[in-house]
Amino acid sequence: MITNLRGLLLAGAIGLAAAAPAAAQQTFYVAGYGGSFEQTMRKEVIPSFEARHNVRVEYVAGNSTDTLAKLQAQRANQQIDVAFMDDGPMYMAIQLGFCAPISSLPADDIVPAARFPGDRAVGVGIVGTGLMYNTQYFRERGWAPPTSWNDLADSKYRGLIVIPPINNTYGLHTLVMFARMAGGGEANIEPGFKAMKERVNPNVLAYEPSPGKMTELFQSGQAALAVWGTGRVASFAATGFPVDFVYPKEGTVTLLAAICPIAKANATPLAQEFVRAVVQPDLQALLAREYGYGPVNRRAPVDPAAMPMAPVGERAAKLINVDWDVINQNRDAWTRRWNREVER
């Protein structure tokens, strides 16, 4: 299958002529997630793209809010050519005019939930935000696996929990879920802050945004329970470490990993080609296998039985969506409050 993927990327850009051997090599900037996602890009996608188009790809790793901040800082002279971001920051990027329309998107093959307004971005994978736990740690202590978001408030896990901060989508989802469970929600976030401060915070070892640090905290035995995404957990489990993902009974929150070509005066046509390539069936199947994404392309050849954590099949029905219109109007204020009251 990887051979087919390489063949796809080497087959040529839609509407582009082959690069002349003597052409000067340009630099193509991709901003995206770090950790295992970055490794997959560097190993399976970037080399073929570089070879086909005679470009040097610079991968700029960072979480979604970091990438959005870079786009804002470079507004007058954008360096980034394409950007991967979570759905919330991606909606903001579109509203701020950073994303160009995608041309020749295979629209009929893309699930509707993965398409953004005006096709200015497209999903590359569906992730579920839920709970990760160390199965060996739990087994040795005779603990039953977690089943609920409320397990984060159980005092027996004091000092064993890791949650990404609110500038990371996983942390934001946690806040929204606790608000919803207490009768509030996106439009009434107060119950979420109350629960985080009074019930969850005493159990938290760290509010950690780095995927590498998250895995280190588990590998060292300091952490045993965390909020994370299906893709991250599947990649961690693939290393042989004893972790599993839990779809909480109150619901697992949808996180759509997405990509957009950056709008700028000197935009290269390769940005469009790169975006189209990552939603093709073979690459979608690769991301499903290597990273645990639920594919956004209906024609991606995946076996749900071989993807025990990914939101595919019946598991996809357990996903719930948040209201990004409301969240993005309030996110800056929530972040300031989180830093002042929760993560202090």
Side-chain angles (χ1 to χ4, degrees):
M1 191 64 70
I2 291 176
T3 299
N4 291 340
L5 168 62
R6 289 174 177 155
L8 170 67
L9 291 174
L10 291 170
I14 298 174
L16 294 175
Q25 188 180 58
Q26 68 181 100
T27 301
F28 184 81
Y29 290 92
V30 176
Y33 312 112
S36 53
F37 185 90
E38 178 183 359
Q39 294 170 17
T40 298
M41 289 292 110
R42 290 187 181 278
K43 179 182 177 183
E44 304 294 352
V45 179
I46 290 174
S48 296
F49 193 81
E50 289 179 322
R52 169 64 186 87
H53 298 293
N54 188 33
V55 296
R56 179 170 62 89
V57 174
E58 287 287 343
Y59 192 93
V60 184
N63 65 35
S64 297
T65 52
D66 290 338
T67 297
L68 183 59
K70 290 184 178 74
L71 292 172
Q72 291 173 307
Q74 298 174 5
R75 181 187 290 273
N77 183 25
Q78 292 290 1
Q79 300 299 308
I80 295 168
D81 292 298
V82 297
F84 290 97
M85 285 180 278
D86 294 345
D87 40 12
M90 187 62 81
Y91 276 112
M92 293 186 68
I94 292 172
Q95 292 170 0
L96 292 168
F98 295 139
C99 296
I102 303 169
S103 62
S104 302
L105 184 72
D108 291 343
D109 296 332
I110 305 300
V111 297
R115 297 183 64 181
F116 286 71
D119 282 338
R120 290 181 179 269
V122 64
V124 299
I126 302 171
V127 174
T129 300
L131 305 178
M132 172 176 73
Y133 74 105
N134 183 325
T135 57
Q136 180 177 331
Y137 193 103
F138 272 61
R139 185 169 57 251
E140 290 174 348
R141 285 155 182 77
W143 293 347
T147 61
S148 166
W149 287 99
N150 280 319
D151 283 311
L152 297 173
D154 191 327
S155 61
K156 75 179 178 183
Y157 303 125
R158 188 174 295 267
L160 294 173
I161 293 174
V162 183
I163 301 174
I166 196 175
N167 66 351
N168 182 296
T169 303
Y170 300 129
L172 180 63
H173 284 170
T174 305
L175 175 65
V176 170
M177 283 306 301
F178 273 97
R180 287 188 175 197
M181 292 188 300
E186 292 88 321
N188 177 18
I189 204 66
E190 183 62 35
F193 273 103
K194 180 178 175 61
M196 290 300 301
K197 289 188 295 182
E198 298 178 3
R199 300 176 56 216
V200 178
N201 200 42
N203 296 335
V204 175
L205 169 68
Y207 291 98
E208 180 52 59
S210 165
K213 185 63 176 178
M214 174 75 83
T215 57
E216 287 177 12
L217 290 171
F218 269 71
Q219 290 166 334
S220 65
Q222 297 177 75
L225 180 62
V227 176
W228 229 15
T230 49
R232 296 286 189 192
V233 182
S235 295
F236 191 17
T239 68
F241 195 80
V243 288
D244 200 1
F245 183 86
V246 172
Y247 282 74
K249 62 184 180 182
E250 299 88 358
T252 299
V253 189
T254 304
L255 189 161
L256 188 66
I259 188 173
C260 84
I262 301 305
K264 54 184 181 178
N266 59 341
T268 170
L270 294 182
Q272 296 285 341
E273 167 60 16
F274 192 93
V275 170
R276 288 191 294 266
V278 295
V279 297
Q280 293 300 313
D282 282 354
L283 184 47
Q284 283 289 293
L286 173 67
L287 290 175
R289 293 194 311 274
E290 298 289 326
Y291 200 63
Y293 276 164
V296 302
N297 192 311
R298 295 186 178 94
R299 296 193 295 115
V302 297
D303 177 10
M307 303 166 59
M309 298 182 194
V312 295
E314 294 182 359
R315 293 187 294 275
K318 299 179 181 179
L319 297 179
I320 58 177
N321 298 321
V322 296
D323 189 335
W324 283 112
D325 287 338
V326 174
I327 289 173
N328 285 335
Q329 292 172 16
N330 295 281
R331 190 165 186 172
D332 287 345
W334 293 355
T335 299
R336 291 192 295 271
R337 183 176 178 186
W338 175 284
N339 293 335
R340 185 174 63 249
E341 300 179 13
V342 180
E343 192 180 345
R344 55 190 177 87

Short mmCIF file of all heavy atoms in Angstrom, two decimals, residues 16-56:
data_model
loop_
_atom_site.label_atom_id
_atom_site.label_comp_id
_atom_site.label_asym_id
_atom_site.label_seq_id
_atom_site.Cartn_x
_atom_site.Cartn_y
_atom_site.Cartn_z
N LEU A 16 0.03 20.11 -13.43
CA LEU A 16 1.39 20.63 -13.35
C LEU A 16 2.32 19.83 -14.23
O LEU A 16 2.22 18.61 -14.29
CB LEU A 16 1.90 20.57 -11.90
CG LEU A 16 1.19 21.47 -10.89
CD1 LEU A 16 1.73 21.19 -9.51
CD2 LEU A 16 1.39 22.92 -11.25
N ALA A 17 3.23 20.50 -14.88
CA ALA A 17 4.24 19.80 -15.67
C ALA A 17 5.35 19.33 -14.76
O ALA A 17 5.56 19.88 -13.68
CB ALA A 17 4.80 20.76 -16.72
N ALA A 18 6.08 18.30 -15.21
CA ALA A 18 7.20 17.79 -14.42
C ALA A 18 8.25 18.86 -14.25
O ALA A 18 8.54 19.63 -15.16
CB ALA A 18 7.80 16.55 -15.10
N ALA A 19 8.84 18.90 -13.08
CA ALA A 19 9.87 19.90 -12.82
C ALA A 19 11.11 19.59 -13.64
O ALA A 19 11.53 18.45 -13.75
CB ALA A 19 10.23 19.89 -11.32
N ALA A 20 11.68 20.61 -14.22
CA ALA A 20 12.89 20.42 -15.02
C ALA A 20 14.05 20.10 -14.12
O ALA A 20 14.20 20.69 -13.05
CB ALA A 20 13.19 21.70 -15.80
N PRO A 21 14.91 19.13 -14.51
CA PRO A 21 16.02 18.74 -13.66
C PRO A 21 16.91 19.90 -13.27
O PRO A 21 17.48 19.92 -12.19
CB PRO A 21 16.78 17.72 -14.53
CG PRO A 21 15.75 17.20 -15.48
CD PRO A 21 14.85 18.35 -15.75
N ALA A 22 17.03 20.90 -14.14
CA ALA A 22 17.95 21.99 -13.86
C ALA A 22 17.29 23.12 -13.08
O ALA A 22 17.94 24.11 -12.77
CB ALA A 22 18.51 22.54 -15.17
N ALA A 23 15.99 22.99 -12.79
CA ALA A 23 15.29 24.07 -12.11
C ALA A 23 15.87 24.28 -10.72
O ALA A 23 16.28 23.35 -10.05
CB ALA A 23 13.81 23.74 -12.00
N ALA A 24 15.91 25.54 -10.31
CA ALA A 24 16.41 25.85 -8.98
C ALA A 24 15.46 25.26 -7.95
O ALA A 24 14.24 25.32 -8.09
CB ALA A 24 16.50 27.37 -8.82
N GLN A 25 16.04 24.70 -6.91
CA GLN A 25 15.23 24.06 -5.88
C GLN A 25 14.64 25.12 -4.96
O GLN A 25 15.35 25.94 -4.41
CB GLN A 25 16.07 23.07 -5.08
CG GLN A 25 15.25 22.23 -4.13
CD GLN A 25 16.11 21.26 -3.35
OE1 GLN A 25 17.02 21.66 -2.64
NE2 GLN A 25 15.83 19.97 -3.49
N GLN A 26 13.33 25.09 -4.79
CA GLN A 26 12.67 26.02 -3.90
C GLN A 26 12.40 25.33 -2.56
O GLN A 26 12.49 24.11 -2.44
CB GLN A 26 11.36 26.53 -4.50
CG GLN A 26 10.27 25.47 -4.62
CD GLN A 26 9.00 26.00 -5.24
OE1 GLN A 26 8.73 25.80 -6.41
NE2 GLN A 26 8.20 26.67 -4.45
N THR A 27 12.09 26.14 -1.56
CA THR A 27 11.74 25.61 -0.25
C THR A 27 10.24 25.70 -0.06
O THR A 27 9.64 26.75 -0.34
CB THR A 27 12.47 26.37 0.86
OG1 THR A 27 13.88 26.29 0.65
CG2 THR A 27 12.14 25.78 2.22
N PHE A 28 9.65 24.62 0.39
CA PHE A 28 8.21 24.51 0.58
C PHE A 28 7.96 24.30 2.08
O PHE A 28 8.48 23.36 2.68
CB PHE A 28 7.67 23.34 -0.23
CG PHE A 28 6.18 23.16 -0.21
CD1 PHE A 28 5.37 23.93 -1.03
CD2 PHE A 28 5.59 22.22 0.61
CE1 PHE A 28 3.99 23.75 -1.03
CE2 PHE A 28 4.22 22.03 0.62
CZ PHE A 28 3.42 22.81 -0.20
N TYR A 29 7.17 25.18 2.68
CA TYR A 29 6.99 25.16 4.14
C TYR A 29 5.65 24.53 4.52
O TYR A 29 4.59 24.97 4.07
CB TYR A 29 7.06 26.58 4.70
CG TYR A 29 8.45 27.17 4.63
CD1 TYR A 29 8.85 27.93 3.52
CD2 TYR A 29 9.37 26.99 5.66
CE1 TYR A 29 10.13 28.48 3.45
CE2 TYR A 29 10.65 27.53 5.59
CZ TYR A 29 11.02 28.27 4.49
OH TYR A 29 12.28 28.80 4.42
N VAL A 30 5.75 23.50 5.36
CA VAL A 30 4.57 22.81 5.88
C VAL A 30 4.55 23.01 7.39
O VAL A 30 5.49 22.63 8.08
CB VAL A 30 4.60 21.31 5.55
CG1 VAL A 30 3.40 20.60 6.19
CG2 VAL A 30 4.62 21.09 4.05
N ALA A 31 3.49 23.58 7.91
CA ALA A 31 3.31 23.73 9.35
C ALA A 31 2.32 22.68 9.82
O ALA A 31 1.26 22.51 9.21
CB ALA A 31 2.81 25.13 9.70
N GLY A 32 2.67 21.97 10.88
CA GLY A 32 1.76 20.91 11.33
C GLY A 32 2.12 20.38 12.70
O GLY A 32 3.02 20.88 13.38
N TYR A 33 1.40 19.34 13.08
CA TYR A 33 1.56 18.74 14.40
C TYR A 33 2.95 18.12 14.56
O TYR A 33 3.56 17.67 13.59
CB TYR A 33 0.52 17.65 14.62
CG TYR A 33 -0.90 18.03 14.26
CD1 TYR A 33 -1.54 17.44 13.17
CD2 TYR A 33 -1.59 18.98 15.00
CE1 TYR A 33 -2.84 17.78 12.84
CE2 TYR A 33 -2.90 19.32 14.67
CZ TYR A 33 -3.52 18.73 13.59
OH TYR A 33 -4.80 19.05 13.26
N GLY A 34 3.40 18.04 15.80
CA GLY A 34 4.65 17.36 16.09
C GLY A 34 4.40 15.89 16.42
O GLY A 34 3.38 15.31 16.07
N GLY A 35 5.36 15.28 17.11
CA GLY A 35 5.21 13.89 17.56
C GLY A 35 5.11 12.89 16.44
O GLY A 35 5.77 13.00 15.40
N SER A 36 4.26 11.90 16.63
CA SER A 36 4.15 10.80 15.67
C SER A 36 3.60 11.27 14.33
O SER A 36 3.92 10.68 13.28
CB SER A 36 3.27 9.68 16.24
OG SER A 36 2.02 10.20 16.68
N PHE A 37 2.77 12.31 14.33
CA PHE A 37 2.26 12.83 13.06
C PHE A 37 3.41 13.38 12.23
O PHE A 37 3.51 13.11 11.02
CB PHE A 37 1.20 13.90 13.30
CG PHE A 37 0.55 14.41 12.04
CD1 PHE A 37 -0.59 13.79 11.55
CD2 PHE A 37 1.07 15.48 11.34
CE1 PHE A 37 -1.20 14.24 10.38
CE2 PHE A 37 0.47 15.94 10.17
CZ PHE A 37 -0.66 15.31 9.69
N GLU A 38 4.27 14.16 12.85
CA GLU A 38 5.43 14.69 12.14
C GLU A 38 6.30 13.56 11.59
O GLU A 38 6.79 13.63 10.46
CB GLU A 38 6.25 15.58 13.08
CG GLU A 38 7.51 16.13 12.44
CD GLU A 38 8.36 16.95 13.40
OE1 GLU A 38 7.95 17.11 14.57
OE2 GLU A 38 9.43 17.43 12.99
N GLN A 39 6.50 12.52 12.39
CA GLN A 39 7.31 11.39 11.94
C GLN A 39 6.71 10.73 10.70
O GLN A 39 7.43 10.36 9.76
CB GLN A 39 7.46 10.38 13.07
CG GLN A 39 8.26 10.89 14.26
CD GLN A 39 8.19 9.98 15.46
OE1 GLN A 39 7.81 8.81 15.34
NE2 GLN A 39 8.54 10.49 16.62
N THR A 40 5.39 10.57 10.69
CA THR A 40 4.72 9.98 9.53
C THR A 40 4.90 10.86 8.30
O THR A 40 5.17 10.37 7.20
CB THR A 40 3.22 9.77 9.82
OG1 THR A 40 3.08 8.85 10.91
CG2 THR A 40 2.50 9.20 8.60
N MET A 41 4.74 12.15 8.47
CA MET A 41 4.94 13.07 7.34
C MET A 41 6.36 12.98 6.80
O MET A 41 6.59 12.91 5.59
CB MET A 41 4.64 14.51 7.77
CG MET A 41 3.18 14.83 8.02
SD MET A 41 2.16 14.81 6.52
CE MET A 41 1.19 13.33 6.85
N ARG A 42 7.33 13.00 7.70
CA ARG A 42 8.74 12.99 7.28
C ARG A 42 9.14 11.66 6.63
O ARG A 42 9.98 11.63 5.73
CB ARG A 42 9.64 13.27 8.49
CG ARG A 42 9.56 14.69 9.01
CD ARG A 42 10.60 14.93 10.08
NE ARG A 42 10.55 16.28 10.62
CZ ARG A 42 11.12 17.35 10.05
NH1 ARG A 42 11.76 17.21 8.89
NH2 ARG A 42 11.04 18.54 10.62
N LYS A 43 8.54 10.58 7.08
CA LYS A 43 8.92 9.27 6.58
C LYS A 43 8.17 8.86 5.32
O LYS A 43 8.77 8.34 4.37
CB LYS A 43 8.69 8.22 7.68
CG LYS A 43 9.03 6.79 7.26
CD LYS A 43 8.72 5.82 8.40
CE LYS A 43 8.99 4.39 7.99
NZ LYS A 43 8.63 3.42 9.08
N GLU A 44 6.87 9.11 5.28
CA GLU A 44 6.04 8.53 4.24
C GLU A 44 5.53 9.51 3.18
O GLU A 44 5.10 9.07 2.12
CB GLU A 44 4.81 7.84 4.88
CG GLU A 44 5.16 6.79 5.91
CD GLU A 44 5.87 5.58 5.31
OE1 GLU A 44 5.97 5.50 4.07
OE2 GLU A 44 6.33 4.74 6.09
N VAL A 45 5.57 10.80 3.48
CA VAL A 45 4.96 11.76 2.56
C VAL A 45 5.99 12.72 1.96
O VAL A 45 6.07 12.88 0.74
CB VAL A 45 3.83 12.55 3.26
CG1 VAL A 45 3.23 13.58 2.32
CG2 VAL A 45 2.77 11.60 3.78
N ILE A 46 6.76 13.35 2.82
CA ILE A 46 7.66 14.41 2.37
C ILE A 46 8.72 13.95 1.38
O ILE A 46 8.94 14.63 0.36
CB ILE A 46 8.28 15.12 3.59
CG1 ILE A 46 7.20 15.94 4.30
CG2 ILE A 46 9.46 16.01 3.18
CD1 ILE A 46 7.64 16.57 5.61
N PRO A 47 9.41 12.82 1.60
CA PRO A 47 10.47 12.44 0.65
C PRO A 47 9.98 12.30 -0.79
O PRO A 47 10.63 12.76 -1.74
CB PRO A 47 10.98 11.10 1.21
CG PRO A 47 10.70 11.18 2.67
CD PRO A 47 9.39 11.90 2.76
N SER A 48 8.83 11.67 -0.98
CA SER A 48 8.29 11.50 -2.33
C SER A 48 7.88 12.83 -2.93
O SER A 48 8.07 13.08 -4.12
CB SER A 48 7.09 10.54 -2.30
OG SER A 48 7.48 9.26 -1.89
N PHE A 49 7.30 13.69 -2.10
CA PHE A 49 6.88 15.00 -2.59
C PHE A 49 8.11 15.82 -3.01
O PHE A 49 8.09 16.48 -4.05
CB PHE A 49 6.10 15.72 -1.49
CG PHE A 49 5.37 16.95 -1.95
CD1 PHE A 49 4.14 16.84 -2.58
CD2 PHE A 49 5.92 18.20 -1.77
CE1 PHE A 49 3.46 17.97 -3.01
CE2 PHE A 49 5.25 19.34 -2.20
CZ PHE A 49 4.02 19.22 -2.83
N GLU A 50 9.17 15.76 -2.22
CA GLU A 50 10.40 16.48 -2.57
C GLU A 50 10.99 15.97 -3.88
O GLU A 50 11.40 16.76 -4.73
CB GLU A 50 11.42 16.33 -1.44
CG GLU A 50 11.09 17.10 -0.18
CD GLU A 50 12.12 16.90 0.91
OE1 GLU A 50 12.62 15.75 1.05
OE2 GLU A 50 12.42 17.86 1.63
N ALA A 51 11.03 14.65 -4.02
CA ALA A 51 11.64 14.06 -5.21
C ALA A 51 10.86 14.42 -6.47
O ALA A 51 11.45 14.73 -7.52
CB ALA A 51 11.72 12.55 -5.06
N ARG A 52 9.54 14.38 -6.39
CA ARG A 52 8.72 14.64 -7.56
C ARG A 52 8.81 16.10 -8.01
O ARG A 52 8.88 16.40 -9.19
CB ARG A 52 7.25 14.26 -7.26
CG ARG A 52 6.24 14.73 -8.31
CD ARG A 52 6.48 14.08 -9.67
NE ARG A 52 5.62 14.64 -10.69
CZ ARG A 52 5.90 15.71 -11.41
NH1 ARG A 52 7.02 16.37 -11.20
NH2 ARG A 52 5.05 16.14 -12.33
N HIS A 53 8.85 17.01 -7.04
CA HIS A 53 8.72 18.42 -7.38
C HIS A 53 10.01 19.23 -7.25
O HIS A 53 9.98 20.45 -7.41
CB HIS A 53 7.63 19.06 -6.51
CG HIS A 53 6.28 18.44 -6.71
ND1 HIS A 53 5.57 18.56 -7.89
CD2 HIS A 53 5.51 17.67 -5.90
CE1 HIS A 53 4.42 17.91 -7.78
NE2 HIS A 53 4.37 17.36 -6.60
N ASN A 54 11.11 18.55 -6.97
CA ASN A 54 12.40 19.23 -6.83
C ASN A 54 12.30 20.39 -5.84
O ASN A 54 12.71 21.53 -6.11
CB ASN A 54 12.90 19.75 -8.19
CG ASN A 54 14.33 20.30 -8.10
OD1 ASN A 54 15.14 19.79 -7.32
ND2 ASN A 54 14.63 21.31 -8.89
N VAL A 55 11.72 20.10 -4.68
CA VAL A 55 11.62 21.10 -3.62
C VAL A 55 12.23 20.54 -2.35
O VAL A 55 12.38 19.33 -2.19
CB VAL A 55 10.15 21.51 -3.34
CG1 VAL A 55 9.53 22.19 -4.53
CG2 VAL A 55 9.32 20.31 -2.90
N ARG A 56 12.56 21.44 -1.47
CA ARG A 56 13.01 21.04 -0.13
C ARG A 56 11.90 21.42 0.84
O ARG A 56 11.56 22.60 0.95
CB ARG A 56 14.31 21.74 0.24
CG ARG A 56 14.83 21.38 1.63
CD ARG A 56 16.24 21.93 1.82
NE ARG A 56 16.26 23.39 1.73
CZ ARG A 56 16.07 24.20 2.78
NH1 ARG A 56 15.83 23.70 3.98
NH2 ARG A 56 16.13 25.51 2.62
#
